[in-house]
Amino acid sequence: MNGLTFDIAHMLAGGLVLVSFMLLYQDRLYALLNVYALHALVLSLSVAWQAYVQDAPHLYVTAAIALVFKAGVIPIALHRIILRLGIHRDIETVVGIGMTMLAGMGLVALSMVVMLRVTPEADPLAREDLAFALSVLLLGLLVMVTRRNAIGQVVGFMALENGLVLAATGAKGMPLVVEISVAFSLVIAFVVIGIFLFRIRERFDTVDIGALDDFRGERR
């Protein structure tokens, strides 16, 4: 593998981590959805590059699925859900943006230390892709736990799943049927989440998690 190939793979995987930080920074719903579409676009480019590097044509299918569904269909559908629900455009966070970004940097450092130490014998490209993938996964989890709005938590869940896809494509030999199954599961999960959002909105007149806690009497 030549240096340019390695550098491009690093740039794309590192770009996905950078866009994950942009997700953490957003406090408006529409901006969050637009950044998530960018997240999916960078993922599809990274997977397509892995397909070229590994000479694995089936990974181009994974890249196409990410581009069509994650960068196109799902963000557009979420935009329409927000319009239909008429929910507030701002996102309330559990802690301030500054503390969230510091926590994100800590998680990235933790990912690098853990993955580089437990995979000393692995292929260098796969090894560092796994470190970036774990960073994306943990940052997606951080988006989920720091957002009070259900739409924000859905975006965090899908960003987390992008990290899993990056890890799976970095590891050689994943069968195409597994990739299609994962993509199909994501679409089903998205449909179920959309139905639940409408039901929650009809029942409680809000999708704010804090307001739901107040309704149940669990928040002090």
mmCIF file with all atom_site columns, all heavy atoms in Angstrom, residues 2 19 97 105 113 177:
data_model
loop_
_atom_site.group_PDB
_atom_site.id
_atom_site.type_symbol
_atom_site.label_atom_id
_atom_site.label_alt_id
_atom_site.label_comp_id
_atom_site.label_asym_id
_atom_site.label_entity_id
_atom_site.label_seq_id
_atom_site.pdbx_PDB_ins_code
_atom_site.Cartn_x
_atom_site.Cartn_y
_atom_site.Cartn_z
_atom_site.occupancy
_atom_site.B_iso_or_equiv
_atom_site.pdbx_formal_charge
_atom_site.auth_seq_id
_atom_site.auth_comp_id
_atom_site.auth_asym_id
_atom_site.auth_atom_id
_atom_site.pdbx_PDB_model_num
ATOM 1  N N   . ASN A 1 2   ? 0.652   2.155   -0.932 1.00 0.00 ? 2   ASN A N   1
ATOM 2  C CA  . ASN A 1 2   ? 1.514   3.338   -0.978 1.00 0.00 ? 2   ASN A CA  1
ATOM 3  C C   . ASN A 1 2   ? 1.028   4.405   -0.001 1.00 0.00 ? 2   ASN A C   1
ATOM 4  O O   . ASN A 1 2   ? -0.066  4.334   0.554  1.00 0.00 ? 2   ASN A O   1
ATOM 5  C CB  . ASN A 1 2   ? 1.593   3.883   -2.407 1.00 0.00 ? 2   ASN A CB  1
ATOM 6  C CG  . ASN A 1 2   ? 0.228   4.306   -2.924 1.00 0.00 ? 2   ASN A CG  1
ATOM 7  O OD1 . ASN A 1 2   ? -0.502  5.006   -2.228 1.00 0.00 ? 2   ASN A OD1 1
ATOM 8  N ND2 . ASN A 1 2   ? -0.108  3.895   -4.126 1.00 0.00 ? 2   ASN A ND2 1
ATOM 9  N N   . VAL A 1 19  ? -16.617 15.697  11.552 1.00 0.00 ? 19  VAL A N   1
ATOM 10 C CA  . VAL A 1 19  ? -18.048 15.983  11.376 1.00 0.00 ? 19  VAL A CA  1
ATOM 11 C C   . VAL A 1 19  ? -18.841 15.524  12.600 1.00 0.00 ? 19  VAL A C   1
ATOM 12 O O   . VAL A 1 19  ? -19.863 16.133  12.946 1.00 0.00 ? 19  VAL A O   1
ATOM 13 C CB  . VAL A 1 19  ? -18.576 15.315  10.084 1.00 0.00 ? 19  VAL A CB  1
ATOM 14 C CG1 . VAL A 1 19  ? -20.055 15.601  9.895  1.00 0.00 ? 19  VAL A CG1 1
ATOM 15 C CG2 . VAL A 1 19  ? -17.809 15.829  8.874  1.00 0.00 ? 19  VAL A CG2 1
ATOM 16 N N   . ILE A 1 97  ? -22.233 23.388  25.672 1.00 0.00 ? 97  ILE A N   1
ATOM 17 C CA  . ILE A 1 97  ? -21.502 22.918  24.490 1.00 0.00 ? 97  ILE A CA  1
ATOM 18 C C   . ILE A 1 97  ? -20.016 22.741  24.802 1.00 0.00 ? 97  ILE A C   1
ATOM 19 O O   . ILE A 1 97  ? -19.374 21.792  24.353 1.00 0.00 ? 97  ILE A O   1
ATOM 20 C CB  . ILE A 1 97  ? -21.684 23.920  23.329 1.00 0.00 ? 97  ILE A CB  1
ATOM 21 C CG1 . ILE A 1 97  ? -23.160 23.930  22.875 1.00 0.00 ? 97  ILE A CG1 1
ATOM 22 C CG2 . ILE A 1 97  ? -20.790 23.543  22.154 1.00 0.00 ? 97  ILE A CG2 1
ATOM 23 C CD1 . ILE A 1 97  ? -23.650 22.620  22.323 1.00 0.00 ? 97  ILE A CD1 1
ATOM 24 N N   . MET A 1 105 ? -13.503 15.224  23.127 1.00 0.00 ? 105 MET A N   1
ATOM 25 C CA  . MET A 1 105 ? -12.052 15.088  22.925 1.00 0.00 ? 105 MET A CA  1
ATOM 26 C C   . MET A 1 105 ? -11.483 13.990  23.817 1.00 0.00 ? 105 MET A C   1
ATOM 27 O O   . MET A 1 105 ? -10.604 13.221  23.403 1.00 0.00 ? 105 MET A O   1
ATOM 28 C CB  . MET A 1 105 ? -11.359 16.427  23.201 1.00 0.00 ? 105 MET A CB  1
ATOM 29 C CG  . MET A 1 105 ? -11.592 17.460  22.111 1.00 0.00 ? 105 MET A CG  1
ATOM 30 S SD  . MET A 1 105 ? -10.602 18.946  22.324 1.00 0.00 ? 105 MET A SD  1
ATOM 31 C CE  . MET A 1 105 ? -11.620 19.829  23.494 1.00 0.00 ? 105 MET A CE  1
ATOM 32 N N   . VAL A 1 113 ? -6.088  5.364   22.344 1.00 0.00 ? 113 VAL A N   1
ATOM 33 C CA  . VAL A 1 113 ? -5.232  4.611   23.269 1.00 0.00 ? 113 VAL A CA  1
ATOM 34 C C   . VAL A 1 113 ? -5.664  3.144   23.319 1.00 0.00 ? 113 VAL A C   1
ATOM 35 O O   . VAL A 1 113 ? -4.833  2.220   23.225 1.00 0.00 ? 113 VAL A O   1
ATOM 36 C CB  . VAL A 1 113 ? -5.297  5.239   24.675 1.00 0.00 ? 113 VAL A CB  1
ATOM 37 C CG1 . VAL A 1 113 ? -4.616  4.332   25.698 1.00 0.00 ? 113 VAL A CG1 1
ATOM 38 C CG2 . VAL A 1 113 ? -4.642  6.617   24.672 1.00 0.00 ? 113 VAL A CG2 1
ATOM 39 N N   . VAL A 1 177 ? -24.181 -9.816  2.450  1.00 0.00 ? 177 VAL A N   1
ATOM 40 C CA  . VAL A 1 177 ? -25.482 -10.035 3.070  1.00 0.00 ? 177 VAL A CA  1
ATOM 41 C C   . VAL A 1 177 ? -25.553 -9.367  4.445  1.00 0.00 ? 177 VAL A C   1
ATOM 42 O O   . VAL A 1 177 ? -26.608 -8.874  4.861  1.00 0.00 ? 177 VAL A O   1
ATOM 43 C CB  . VAL A 1 177 ? -25.780 -11.550 3.162  1.00 0.00 ? 177 VAL A CB  1
ATOM 44 C CG1 . VAL A 1 177 ? -24.810 -12.229 4.116  1.00 0.00 ? 177 VAL A CG1 1
ATOM 45 C CG2 . VAL A 1 177 ? -27.215 -11.783 3.606  1.00 0.00 ? 177 VAL A CG2 1
#
